[in-house]
């Protein structure tokens, strides 16, 4: 399940490299933790070249988050084709992030990190971050609805509430893993949540 790889609609390889560098900087130090000079040094181009693709930092991060959402939509669609069972969908989604955190390929969700900075973000970026959360909440809500209908998930609240709680647990576990500097913290936090949601089978 690939949720944030460069999509096939990328303007150019240079733009992809710029976006990848921006994502790395955001993950490391947030929206305000980098400049075009930093990206130029990493990518090996002049700042003017970055401005050619993305006239402003707002344009850059807005495009990054929009692409992140597009890839999430693609990834979730692919996941549902391969894993239609609601309990296994939740396990696979949590497992995806556990693996990403463990191998440091994606130590935290870019949108979760940006959401923590939302009051300070430009409105154009903030609206894209909210769109990602709305998509993920909607997807998880549908998973919980199917699980409740099929009796394959044990839920104590409305599917939407369960979806929001699960999403918050995943994002909170990412932050805890980062705070403790322990990649195994993520799985430790998610394990009891999954155990409560997924009925034991003989």
């Amino acid at each position: 399940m690939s949720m944030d790889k460069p999509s096939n609609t990328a303007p150019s390889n240079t733009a992809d490299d710029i976006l990848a560098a921006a994502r790395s900087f955001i993950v490391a130090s947030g929206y305000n933790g980098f400049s075009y000079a930093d990206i130029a040094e990493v990518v090996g181009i002049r700042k003017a070249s970055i401005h050619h693709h993305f006239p402003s930092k707002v344009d850059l991060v807005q495009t990054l988050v929009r692409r992140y959402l597009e890839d999430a939509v693609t990834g979730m669609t692919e996941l549902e084709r391969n894993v239609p069972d609601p309990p296994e969908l939740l396990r696979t989604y949590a497992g995806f992030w556990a693996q990403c955190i463990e191998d440091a390929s994606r130590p935290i969700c870019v949108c979760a990190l940006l959401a923590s900075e939302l009051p300070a973000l430009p409105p154009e970026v903030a609206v894209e971050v909210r769109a990602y959360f709305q998509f993920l909440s909607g997807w998880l809500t549908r998973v919980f609805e199917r699980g409740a209908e099929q009796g394959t998930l044990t839920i104590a609240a409305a599917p939407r509430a369960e979806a929001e709680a699960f999403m918050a647990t995943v994002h909170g576990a990412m932050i805890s893993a980062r705070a403790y500097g322990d990649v195994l913290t993520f799985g430790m936090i998610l394990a009891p949540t999954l155990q409560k949601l997924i009925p034991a089978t003989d």
Side-chain angles (χ1 to χ4, degrees):
M1 179 177 59
S2 181
M3 296 168 56
D4 59 348
K5 66 182 181 180
S7 73
N8 294 330
T9 58
S12 72
N13 289 333
T14 300
D16 285 343
D17 291 342
I18 294 168
L19 288 166
R23 184 180 65 201
S24 296
F25 278 119
I26 289 172
V27 166
S29 51
Y31 180 84
N32 292 312
F34 70 98
S35 67
Y36 273 19
D38 296 318
I39 292 178
E41 183 177 352
V42 169
V43 179
I45 56 177
R46 295 180 298 114
K47 286 194 293 182
S49 297
I50 303 175
H51 283 288
H52 171 72
H53 291 281
F54 306 103
S56 71
K57 187 175 183 179
V58 170
D59 295 315
L60 170 60
V61 180
Q62 186 180 30
T63 301
L64 172 64
V65 177
R66 191 174 293 155
R67 183 84 61 82
Y68 196 84
L69 172 56
E70 291 170 357
D71 290 336
V73 172
T74 301
M76 297 308 188
T77 301
E78 179 184 349
L79 175 61
E80 292 220 50
R81 270 201 308 266
N82 298 324
V83 186
D85 179 56
E88 203 55 39
L89 277 171
L90 296 184
R91 286 195 193 99
T92 304
Y93 176 72
F96 168 82
W97 279 112
Q99 183 61 46
C100 288
I101 291 167
E102 188 171 341
D103 64 21
S105 59
R106 300 173 183 88
I108 193 167
C109 170
V110 168
C111 286
L113 185 62
L114 288 173
S116 69
E117 302 179 347
L118 206 64
L121 292 179
E124 300 92 333
V125 175
V127 72
E128 300 295 342
V129 173
R130 289 193 184 97
Y132 174 83
F133 271 75
Q134 288 163 354
F135 161 74
L136 184 55
S137 173
W139 180 77
L140 285 169
T141 297
R142 292 189 293 275
V143 171
F144 277 98
E145 286 172 345
R146 290 203 308 276
E149 290 169 0
Q150 297 169 4
T152 55
L153 291 178
T154 301
I155 64 175
R160 168 70 189 279
E162 293 283 1
E164 293 289 348
F166 186 78
M167 182 168 64
T169 301
V170 169
H171 290 153
M174 292 176 186
I175 294 170
S176 292
R178 171 171 280 201
Y180 289 119
D182 180 2
V183 297
L184 299 181
T185 297
F186 179 86
M188 180 185 71
I189 293 172
L190 262 293
T193 298
L194 291 170
Q195 287 172 359
K196 290 176 186 176
L197 291 169
I198 301 172
T201 55
D202 295 332

